[in-house]
Amino acid sequence: MADGSWYDADIDRVIISEEQIREKTEELAKQVAVDYADADGGILLVCVLKGAVMFMADFARALGRQGPSSEMEFMAVSSYGSGTASSGVVRILKDLDRDITGRHVVIVEDIVDSGLTLSWLMKYLQSRQPASVEVVALFRKPEAIKVPVPTKYVGFDIPSEFVVGYGLDFAERYREVPYVGVLRPEVYARS
Ligand code: IMP
């Protein structure tokens, strides 16, 4: 852990280190580069804000070094429903900026938890006649999955605990933490 960062005292333990994230991102980019080597028009990366922002930035650069060209699109969605558990009913806050007809779409996701958001998003994108839609997710919580989502590329399976860092937040904080970790219980108590 780096010395002197404001968040050091709030993190209980590191689950996935910066180095592990870097290596895995390269590995995932390599797999995608091979699979899409002949993709007509390159790849259209679709990032779901805000959690996947860090992964999108690093994955796109890794892909650029070894794969076909890519373009970036950003969407923002919010799921209706109470509490922290997502309900599967999704509202679009920011839609795609352009037509994806005939494009090879790769959804770039931070974490697949219940799978409800992703399952909805895949159907939504497929309804717009792309050439293909696949998902690359850096993290997955296998115990939490409610709807099986065909996530072709997965970085790490992690325990069903609430984690922060590398884009993932708790109440909009900790996104800039460069690794993924678990917060100390006191942090939740004081919020
Ligand atoms: P779901 O798969 O529809 O349940 O929702 C997944 C979304 O919930 C992810 O894209 C994250 O933004 C968020 N999420 C799920 N688990 C965590 C976590 O442990 N920490 C922070 N955000 C999380």
Side-chain angles (χ1 to χ4, degrees), residues 14-175:
V14 178
I15 301 266
I16 311 280
S17 70
E18 273 188 86
E19 186 57 26
Q20 285 176 292
I21 293 173
R22 196 160 33 238
E23 281 171 13
K24 190 63 81 176
T25 303
E26 290 291 329
E27 209 178 286
L28 291 169
K30 203 168 284 174
Q31 287 175 35
V32 172
V34 168
D35 292 355
Y36 288 82
D38 304 320
D40 239 9
I43 301 176
L44 186 68
L45 299 172
V46 175
C47 169
V48 185
L49 296 170
K50 305 172 191 164
V53 157
M54 304 291 176
F55 183 43
M56 176 74 152
D58 288 337
F59 180 77
R61 280 178 287 187
L63 188 62
R65 286 191 287 271
Q66 45 199 339
S69 68
S70 66
E71 291 166 31
M72 297 185 192
E73 278 291 306
F74 295 87
M75 284 186 74
V77 301
S78 93
S79 49
Y80 288 109
S82 55
T84 49
S86 51
S87 60
V89 183
V90 171
R91 185 162 60 111
I92 298 175
L93 303 176
K94 189 212 166 298
D95 206 341
L96 299 164
D97 288 333
R98 58 203 150 139
D99 189 18
I100 61 166
T101 308
R103 301 298 309 270
H104 291 284
V105 173
V106 174
I107 302 172
V108 179
E109 258 290 19
D110 47 359
I111 187 165
V112 184
D113 187 2
S114 69
L116 289 165
T117 310
L118 198 50
S119 153
W120 178 91
L121 189 64
M122 281 197 90
K123 283 190 205 122
Y124 176 75
L125 295 175
Q126 266 152 0
S127 75
R128 298 185 154 208
Q129 279 82 49
S132 64
V133 182
E134 295 292 353
V135 179
V136 54
L138 187 55
F139 305 108
R140 179 172 61 181
K141 292 182 184 171
E143 288 161 37
I145 300 230
K146 281 192 197 157
V147 211
V149 190
T151 310
K152 188 161 180 187
Y153 309 96
V154 181
F156 302 94
D157 279 322
I158 60 168
S160 294
E161 276 181 281
F162 191 81
V163 293
V164 296
Y166 199 66
L168 297 169
D169 73 309
F170 169 61
E172 294 301 327
R173 302 179 78 209
Y174 306 101
R175 291 193 199 274

